[in-house]
Amino acid sequence: MNAILIKLFATALTLSQVTTRPDAVKTQFDPVVDRDQVVQVLRDGCAHMRKAFDIEDINLDELISTAMEDPSSVAGDNAPKILHGLDLAELNTSYKQFCKGENPTNSPFDARAVIEFYNNAVKDLPSAEALKDTKLPGASTILDNSGKTYSEAFETNGRRRVLPIGEIPEMVQKAFVAAEDKRFYQHHGIDERGVIRAFIGNLASPGRPAGGSTITQQVVKNLSVGDDVTYERKIREMIVAARLEQIQTKPQILGLYLNGIYLGRGSYGVEMAARSWFGKSVAQLSVAEAALLAGLPKGPNYYSPEKYPDRARERRGYVLSRMKEDGVITEEQLAEAQKSDLGIKPFEQVRRDAGFYFVEHLGREARTFAGLESLTSTSYTVHSTVNSGLQRAVETALQDGLANYERGTGRVFFDGPEMNLAEAVKKFEAMPPTVETALPPPPPPEPAPTRGRKAALKQPLPPKPAGPKPAWQRALEMARPVLYDVHWPLAVVLSTGKAGTKVGLADGRVASLDAGAARGRLQLYDAVRVKLVDPSARAPRAQLRVRPAVQGAAIVLENKTGRILAMTGGFSYPLSQLNRVTQTVRQPGSTLKPLTYLAALNAGLQPNTLVMDSPVTLPPIGGTGDSWSPKNYDGGGSGPTTLRRGLEFSKNLVTARLLQGGIAEKAPQSLKRVCDIALEAQLYAECENYYPFVLGAQPVRMIDLASFYAAIANEGARPSAYSLESVEKDGKPVFTHPAKAPVRIGSADRVAFYQLKTMLQGVTQHGTAAAMSGISQYVAGKTGTSENENDAWFAGFTNEISVVVWVGYDNADGIRKTLGRGQTGGHVSVPIAKSIFQAAWANGVPRTVLAPPSPETLTQIADLPIDPRSGQRLSGGGFLEHFRKKNGQVADTQYNLVPRETMYAMRPDSQDGDYGNSEDGADVAGDYYGNRAGRNGSDLLDPFARNDTDPYASRRTQQRYDPYQNWPGHNRYGQAQPSPFGDDADSYPRPRRRDPDYLFGDDPRY
């Protein structure tokens, strides 16, 4: 038996069952036992068909005879491909056997083959009951923190807004029924007349094949059995459709159809389609607009009014005529609709190229806090906390920072272009230019009056003459890059060779490319990422940008509320969906040191308390295990150092020694107090009981670290980070984030937090984050570098926001790859964080000098002048330190940990100071109290006298300025204090910095 004939008979067997015995459709036949039953089912089905056509006064025999008795009508080259190989004589014989009661001796019918094909086709048949409870996925609209549309969340093939059938106008319903399924309200899921007409039409007329599917069948195809173009799918579709009709009402089925059907422009369902095509709700559609939409299911691309307006107009006319025949519209409405324009609007779909990590996190919060199944389970309006401009800027800053790190360390590796557009260019070259690309250019603007040659040179360049866009530009515009959230421009290689590499930009300009690591490896029409050096030039220069191997993440948190204003969990979401802000933990390094200093300040130590920056060994906890002997980043020490300077220059030994009597009497007790603060601050669920904890050895989540730094900015009030403000459905509230004030961390008081805040501002003013000195009026924070430079951090804050940046390698492959010697938080992460702060100010976050103490704190502190190096109190001048008062008096703790006698005994008697480096490579040249020996051989200054020598001045120019001027911003009374640095980072010489691996001596002594 012919293979095609087997499939046709199996399909006929299905059709016969669903039309003659829909309540008892059999899905398995025995090839031997049930042979006669199958023959009878086929004969019953044929009799039913003949009766159905008799109702319409159509002679089915004549229709079939016309199609089959003239083989030339389908046997030639113009016959549909699906019918090639079909023996029409066998088909005609089979028709006579089953439909006319004849018993031909040469019957080609093989019941066994038909049954086996049928049985296999209906194996694992989907349940119609599943469709009864189907909830179509929807597209939720996500708003940013200003209430503007930021994004849409939807599943693949799920960009829709579901409406109850009762909210879809009857006129729209009838338009689709008229166009797609005239007998929808009469049949029981399968329109046998439509099936036979389609079959006969496909036999007799080559061209676009007709399907004959009902609306019910289309629902089943779209939502259950799939859209494979096979006989198997058609068989499964008919059975499930017949069963669906028995458990669902016609309006329910029509509702599934109208909400599920694809109608072009990425839109599913009539509501989303109405918005996409006409910019209005389906309830506002005119007759002509409804007819246009109803004509699209037959071929959304083929009849697209955007691409093929003539086809769309013709199809609309057909639908309108059917609507008139069915009595849906009047003759007058028909005439008016036929004359109307298509009326489509420009497509304004939200094309997101940023915020993917944020939106995914938003979805997690929707499930956790709002109890939603997902943001795509139906159509919601979601109010989020994201600042859209800042979000994009944060991603750009991180991407640039990671690229700059690899370029600076020579780690750039080019592993090929993002894509190649050669095929696309070839296609566009074969196409005529579009009307849009061939429009004449607009007239150039009238030049302003100028005088002289120099003035003329300052005039803007005249626009390039417009004309048809070159094929490469059109291909670039249509390209869909793999890294769709990378913010470097995509360019296409136009030439390579000795003359250099040229690339084309999306705006039509051609740029010279510095190919860098890809030199000699680029090919024609490779699409690559670039960074424009002079973006406004007519012929700009560009640098190649390569996807980095290093990773990073960043978060911006609003201090008072906990709103997440921006968050990026990696370099690019398509490369890795792992959100490193919320889903991973990393060793925080020195960004955790403020915990220890907070505990010390809360225990009564003052910022000028002297601590020995020298080797220390702490005994095993509980008498078991190993003792602990930490080291500074540079391996050295600088003797007695104030608490403030120990934090500013991230001294490991100072931090460790605070456990030795600085917080509690014994080191294990001190460690416990630090852990208590960490637990109350919700940095950890439990604290690992070992000393390296205080140096950041226990991994932490970035989002939790951001909340802790926000607490420092708030004098101890910790906010809970969140991104979901509220959710609405059909205008009704579903969830609203409860108003929740920050929770105070009771393990330390306001005074300790305020003192810590001023010390962290010293970090940005002249410490390990001195690259931020130009903005240190507004920013405080701490750098961090974990062991062997595995992680580089910056965590900091302004009055309004906290920012945390991390850079490092994922090392998921088990190969430990570090950032490299000297690649610390101060070198790698601080520049990224600085860009983020500046972007925040450019996107609506206020730029205010760091706040003075709160009224509650003000009564408990006193500002007194000290020498910042020795911590010695002065009678005037110097640096105003912020001291805790106890019983109305300032507690003097300067020598609590380093007795005065020890200081005198350690008085230096040589010219050589200890030239060491802090964790992040900042120059801390000087003796134990920070003074430097005179270069002319003079004696060192007295550690108890006021020190007027500037340890940060350039050794070449000997310019002097004091980085320990009064805290920029306000004094304790809220009075404005001028910044020693001004608003311009270069207005004063920056603190001198030294790379730990600097190999060239520049000291005059060498």
Side-chain angles (χ1 to χ4, degrees), residues 66 80 183 346 404 448 631 652 665 702 821 971 980:
T66 300
R183 297 184 63 248
N404 290 339
K631 294 181 179 180
N652 291 342
E665 184 177 353
M702 288 182 67
R821 181 66 178 169
N971 61 18

Side-chain angles (χ1 to χ4, degrees), residues 457-748:
L457 290 174
K458 294 181 180 179
Q459 297 305 305
L461 295 171
K464 294 179 67 176
K469 293 180 181 179
W472 64 260
Q473 187 181 2
R474 296 162 71 187
L476 189 59
E477 289 175 345
M478 297 300 294
R480 293 293 177 263
V482 178
L483 306 181
Y484 44 76
D485 61 347
V486 171
H487 303 308
W488 301 319
L490 195 67
V492 57
V493 175
L494 301 180
S495 66
T496 60
K498 295 181 179 180
T501 303
K502 301 287 185 182
V503 293
L505 306 176
D507 60 9
R509 291 180 298 168
V510 176
S512 299
L513 178 69
D514 176 4
R519 187 169 287 108
R521 300 179 59 190
L522 294 175
Q523 298 180 4
L524 189 63
Y525 301 131
D526 277 347
V528 294
R529 299 285 180 171
V530 299
K531 182 87 170 179
L532 298 181
V533 178
D534 43 2
S536 61
R538 176 180 291 177
R541 292 174 296 118
Q543 294 176 342
L544 184 75
R545 285 292 181 264
V546 174
R547 170 176 64 88
V550 71
Q551 272 290 358
I555 183 174
V556 181
L557 193 71
E558 196 171 69
N559 294 336
K560 302 299 183 184
T561 64
R563 295 186 180 102
I564 300 173
L565 301 184
M567 173 173 62
T568 178
F571 170 75
S572 174
Y573 185 81
L575 287 175
S576 170
Q577 287 77 55
L578 178 67
N579 189 337
R580 293 157 185 83
V581 173
T582 62
Q583 295 176 306
T584 67
V585 292
R586 301 288 296 221
Q587 286 188 351
S590 296
T591 57
L592 202 72
K593 285 179 182 175
L595 274 176
T596 304
Y597 285 82
L598 183 63
L601 293 167
N602 194 68
L605 296 186
Q606 304 280 22
N608 76 327
T609 301
L610 292 170
V611 187
M612 286 299 294
D613 180 22
S614 61
V616 62
T617 296
L618 298 182
I621 298 175
T624 61
D626 297 329
S627 58
W628 183 50
S629 301
K631 294 181 179 180
N632 281 336
Y633 181 84
D634 64 342
S638 54
T641 302
T642 64
L643 201 66
R644 171 180 287 275
R645 287 174 62 81
L647 181 60
E648 289 173 346
F649 295 105
S650 201
K651 294 293 189 176
N652 291 342
L653 295 176
V654 172
T655 307
R657 280 188 174 274
L658 286 175
L659 298 178
Q660 202 174 42
I663 300 172
E665 184 177 353
K666 300 293 184 181
Q669 297 172 329
S670 296
L671 177 62
K672 184 178 184 305
R673 292 192 185 179
V674 176
C675 286
D676 288 343
I677 298 177
L679 294 176
E680 190 178 357
Q682 298 184 37
L683 281 165
Y684 302 102
E686 59 180 343
C687 215
E688 295 188 21
N689 191 32
Y690 72 137
Y691 294 125
F693 170 82
V694 298
L695 300 184
Q698 183 172 340
V700 69
R701 287 198 315 164
M702 288 182 67
I703 192 170
D704 297 328
L705 194 63
S707 292
F708 172 63
Y709 273 79
I712 301 174
N714 296 336
E715 286 189 9
R718 179 192 180 277
S720 296
Y722 73 97
S723 62
L724 182 65
E725 290 281 16
S726 63
V727 182
E728 299 168 4
K729 185 178 185 298
D730 301 327
K732 299 177 182 178
V734 174
F735 166 81
T736 300
H737 187 275
K740 186 178 180 182
V743 178
R744 181 152 298 283
I745 300 173
S747 299

